[in-house]
Amino acid sequence: RDLSNAVLAGADLRGANLEGANLTGAVLSGAKLSGARARKAVFHGADLTGADLKGVDLSEADLREADFTETNLADAGLRLSRAGRAIFARADLSRAGFEDADLTRADLSGTRLHRARFVRSRLADASLHRAWGTGVRFEKCDLARIRASQARLPGVVCAGSKGADSVWEEAELHGADFSQCVLNGAEFSFAFLADARFVAANLREARFVEAVLQRADFTRANLYQSRLTRADFRHAKLCEANLYEAECWEIRIESADLTDANLRQTKLQEI
């Protein structure tokens, strides 16, 4: 079905069968598509701003460069979808499922991600600036160079993901799980990371300047040449952590556990 460049703004398409339809460049702003079936549909460059796509099946759909600004995508299924450079700014992705999806360079700034789940998905160079939600999961995802500054994602699970050079500056990440993540060069300065887990994470040359890391678990983490200036490690676990040549100026480490940590050539100065 060819609906490319069709103007369907505000249309009522609830429950419609759009499987395999070509909606390239279509205008669907404000349209009602809740419960629609759009598996393998093509929305390349389409305008879906403010539309209601709650519960829509978008598995294997082509969403590249589509605009979902302020769109309701709660409970949507996006398995194997291609959404490179798509815009999801301030959209509702609550409980949405992305499995093996491609969101390279996508814009998820200000997006609601409550209980959204990303599995084996590519989010390299995506923006999650000020994204928010609880129960969010990024399982074995590519998070390289994502920009998640000022995001509010308490309890987010990123275990096993790769996020080299990712930016989490000033983010609210209380209780987050970054265990076994590759986070070399990541930026966590000024972030709130109390009770977070970085067990066996690669944090080579990562930055935690003035980060709050109380009770955080860095057991066996690699913090080689990391910058930890004025970070708060009170009651944190750093057992067997590698702090070789790390910059630890004016840090707080009262009651921290440094059992068997590698402190060779560490630049350490407590407040």
Side-chain angles (χ1 to χ4, degrees):
R1 188 185 312 177
D2 188 0
L3 295 169
S4 56
N5 300 309
V7 178
L8 298 164
D12 189 345
L13 298 167
R14 285 176 288 188
N17 183 2
L18 296 170
E19 292 192 15
N22 180 10
L23 290 138
T24 300
V27 177
L28 290 150
S29 54
K32 301 177 180 64
L33 292 121
S34 58
R37 301 182 302 283
R39 182 172 175 268
K40 293 186 177 181
V42 179
F43 290 92
H44 191 173
D47 178 0
L48 293 117
T49 55
D52 181 6
L53 281 80
K54 180 178 173 63
V56 172
D57 179 7
L58 289 164
S59 56
E60 301 182 70
D62 183 352
L63 312 175
R64 290 174 297 164
E65 300 181 335
D67 191 347
F68 294 94
T69 299
E70 298 183 351
T71 296
N72 181 8
L73 283 155
D75 301 302
L78 295 112
R79 183 180 63 86
L80 291 168
S81 61
R82 292 173 291 157
R85 296 182 184 274
I87 302 171
F88 296 94
R90 301 181 303 284
D92 187 353
L93 288 170
S94 299
R95 300 173 302 281
F98 292 84
E99 296 181 4
D100 301 295
D102 185 0
L103 292 109
T104 303
R105 297 184 182 276
D107 181 0
L108 290 88
S109 54
T111 301
R112 185 184 185 194
L113 296 172
H114 179 63
R115 291 175 59 192
R117 188 177 180 219
F118 300 80
V119 181
R120 297 180 302 277
S121 294
R122 296 182 294 280
L123 291 99
D125 297 295
S127 173
L128 281 83
H129 176 66
R130 292 191 174 179
W132 59 285
T134 58
V136 186
R137 302 183 70 89
F138 295 97
E139 301 173 21
K140 298 181 179 179
C141 290
D142 180 0
L143 305 176
R145 299 175 301 282
I146 68 163
R147 302 175 302 285
S149 55
Q150 296 181 15
R152 290 179 288 128
L153 300 169
V156 63
V157 175
C158 299
S161 293
K162 297 180 179 179
D165 299 312
S166 54
V167 178
W168 306 84
E169 194 169 19
E170 298 182 24
E172 158 58 66
L173 300 165
H174 178 270
D177 189 354
F178 291 96
S179 296
Q180 298 181 328
C181 285
V182 177
L183 293 161
N184 43 298
E187 176 64 85
F188 287 96
S189 294
F190 307 102
F192 186 77
L193 287 152
D195 299 296
R197 288 174 53 82
F198 290 91
V199 176
N202 183 0
L203 294 157
R204 180 188 178 103
E205 298 180 351
R207 293 172 293 280
F208 290 89
V209 176
E210 295 193 38
V212 176
L213 297 156
Q214 295 176 23
R215 299 175 303 280
D217 190 350
F218 285 87
T219 301
R220 299 188 306 282
N222 180 16
L223 289 154
Y224 172 75
Q225 290 189 340
S226 57
R227 295 185 60 189
L228 311 172
T229 302
R230 292 185 294 280
D232 186 350
F233 281 94
R234 286 179 292 174
H235 303 282
K237 290 183 66 176
L238 291 147
C239 306
E240 301 180 60
N242 179 23
L243 290 151
Y244 185 78
E245 293 188 351
E247 292 185 10
C248 302
W249 303 120
E250 299 181 24
I251 67 169
R252 301 197 64 173
I253 54 172
E254 300 98 303
S255 301
D257 187 349
L258 291 157
T259 304
D260 296 323
N262 179 7
L263 300 172
R264 286 185 301 164
Q265 299 190 45
T266 300
K267 305 171 183 70
L268 178 61
Q269 181 187 46
E270 294 183 60
I271 293 177

